Amino acid sequence: MQQIVNFLIRNKTFITFLLLFCFSLFLTFQSHTYQKAKFINSANWVSGKVYNGSNNISDYFHLKKYNEQLVEENLRLRKTLLNIPEAAIDTTQSKDSLLTDYNLYSASIIKNSFTKKRNYLLINKGSSDSIKQDMGVITSRGIVGIIENTSNKFANVQSVLNSLSEINVSIKSTNNFGSLKWNGNNYNTVQLVDILRSAEIKKGDTIITGGMSSIFPKGIPVGTIKNLSLDASKNYYLIDVELFNDMTTLDHVYIIENLNKEEILTLENSIDE
């Protein structure tokens, strides 16, 4: 307390000046409309800048929360989109029975390789989150790969950039079907094989999933034809496909569960037997 008193005594002249200055400003603003308006505008500008800066800082620290909200919203929308084509076939179905073919889960990538011959991704969802082997993995731009194995909290994804990967796809404009493979050369380009030379295709055509498996529904984007030529036999095309996904910058993914998968596999196995 004594230190405060000593401070006031040492600076009494300055403090008196400051008080008188503030009082004179108050009288000026109160008695002159122009100065009062200028003061209010200046105060609003300063407070606006302060509040805007504070809001920007708050938004920055809430980016993760906002991003998670967007992922969940996209999850709901994509689930609806995946099921609409099947639901639209029979309009006599009740509303509650329409969305029954596919389920979607969201996950984050915590490890991603793309420079090896056999590349894998690690995601932060596992068997405890209903993730199972042979589920398809996609992003908002296109396919990523297929779940290979799971632990309780994590799962390995066999990337499309894997020499063992083979995914059924089709050319959107012609509906010709083939297999998507990777030769291990370019992480932005994969190969489409088994397309006959009779197919009317051209550079720039869009490639989508073919729907001929129980993993991916038909119509998931894959990429576009980058180059094409004929193989040695002159009967099939050699096609390079530029992926829609940048496989080096993946972050969030969606896992597709085909709710009819077991029934489909049972029928397929009965035919093989």
Side-chain angles (χ1 to χ4, degrees), residues 108-113 120-125 149 151 154-157 251:
S108 294
I109 295 173
I110 56 179
K111 186 178 180 181
N112 179 18
S113 66
Y120 291 88
L121 305 95
L122 184 66
I123 60 174
N124 65 343
K125 296 290 178 69
N149 50 62
S151 65
F154 303 97
N156 274 330
V157 180
D251 186 11

Side-chain angles (χ1 to χ4, degrees), residues 1-267:
M1 185 64 183
Q2 185 61 41
Q3 290 180 344
I4 296 175
V5 173
N6 292 336
F7 172 80
L8 292 175
I9 293 173
R10 285 197 308 269
N11 298 278
K12 61 182 179 180
T13 303
F14 176 75
I15 294 172
T16 303
F17 166 77
L18 192 61
L19 291 173
L20 291 174
F21 179 74
C22 292
F23 183 67
S24 64
L25 287 177
F26 172 75
L27 292 177
T28 301
F29 295 140
Q30 284 295 102
S31 58
H32 296 81
T33 305
Y34 176 78
Q35 284 83 354
K36 183 177 181 179
K38 282 292 184 180
F39 173 76
I40 292 173
N41 288 338
S42 298
N44 287 341
W45 181 84
V46 172
S47 61
K49 287 291 185 180
V50 172
Y51 285 126
N52 186 57
S54 175
N55 187 61
N56 288 339
I57 293 172
S58 177
D59 285 345
Y60 176 79
F61 286 106
H62 287 86
L63 281 177
K64 182 178 180 180
K65 178 182 178 181
Y66 297 151
N67 196 40
E68 289 174 349
Q69 291 174 345
L70 286 174
V71 169
E72 290 303 314
E73 180 65 20
N74 286 336
L75 186 66
R76 289 191 292 270
L77 293 174
R78 290 197 165 277
K79 181 178 178 180
T80 301
L81 288 173
L82 279 178
N83 286 280
I84 281 177
E86 298 295 329
I89 294 175
D90 184 2
T91 56
T92 63
Q93 296 183 59
S94 67
K95 183 177 179 181
D96 292 335
S97 67
L98 291 180
L99 304 180
T100 57
D101 293 321
Y102 298 98
N103 199 5
L104 254 68
Y105 306 92
S106 65
S108 294
I109 295 173
I110 56 179
K111 186 178 180 181
N112 179 18
S113 66
F114 47 83
T115 59
K116 304 173 183 178
K117 287 290 184 180
R118 297 180 181 179
N119 291 297
Y120 291 88
L121 305 95
L122 184 66
I123 60 174
N124 65 343
K125 296 290 178 69
S127 56
S128 62
D129 305 292
S130 301
I131 306 302
K132 302 174 184 176
Q133 187 180 39
D134 291 336
M135 285 185 175
V137 182
I138 65 172
T139 70
S140 59
R141 296 182 62 85
I143 65 170
V144 171
I146 299 172
I147 300 291
E148 184 166 289
N149 50 62
T150 65
S151 65
N152 188 43
K153 295 182 179 180
F154 303 97
N156 274 330
V157 180
Q158 184 188 79
S159 171
V160 292
L161 304 181
N162 189 306
S163 58
L164 300 178
S165 175
E166 186 171 347
I167 298 172
N168 171 256
V169 297
S170 69
I171 300 170
K172 187 176 182 180
S173 60
T174 66
N175 210 36
N176 290 97
F177 290 90
S179 295
L180 195 73
K181 298 183 177 182
W182 189 53
N183 61 15
N185 293 335
N186 189 321
Y187 57 75
N188 285 326
T189 305
V190 293
Q191 286 63 52
L192 174 56
V193 299
D194 300 332
I195 301 294
L196 289 168
R197 66 175 297 174
S198 58
E200 297 180 359
I201 60 176
K202 62 183 184 299
K203 185 177 179 180
D205 281 350
T206 299
I207 309 301
I208 59 175
T209 52
M212 294 293 182
S213 74
S214 58
I215 298 175
F216 292 103
K218 183 175 182 179
I220 301 296
V222 176
T224 57
I225 294 179
K226 183 179 180 181
N227 298 302
L228 66 159
S229 59
L230 292 174
D231 66 4
S233 69
K234 303 295 182 181
N235 292 321
Y236 292 90
Y237 278 109
L238 297 172
I239 302 173
D240 285 335
V241 177
E242 185 174 6
L243 295 170
F244 287 132
N245 268 324
D246 182 348
M247 298 297 291
T248 68
T249 60
L250 299 175
D251 186 11
H252 287 89
V253 293
Y254 302 100
I255 300 98
I256 302 174
E257 179 185 17
N258 185 344
L259 299 178
N260 300 316
K261 180 179 178 180
E262 295 302 323
E263 183 177 349
I264 293 171
L265 293 177
T266 300
L267 285 173

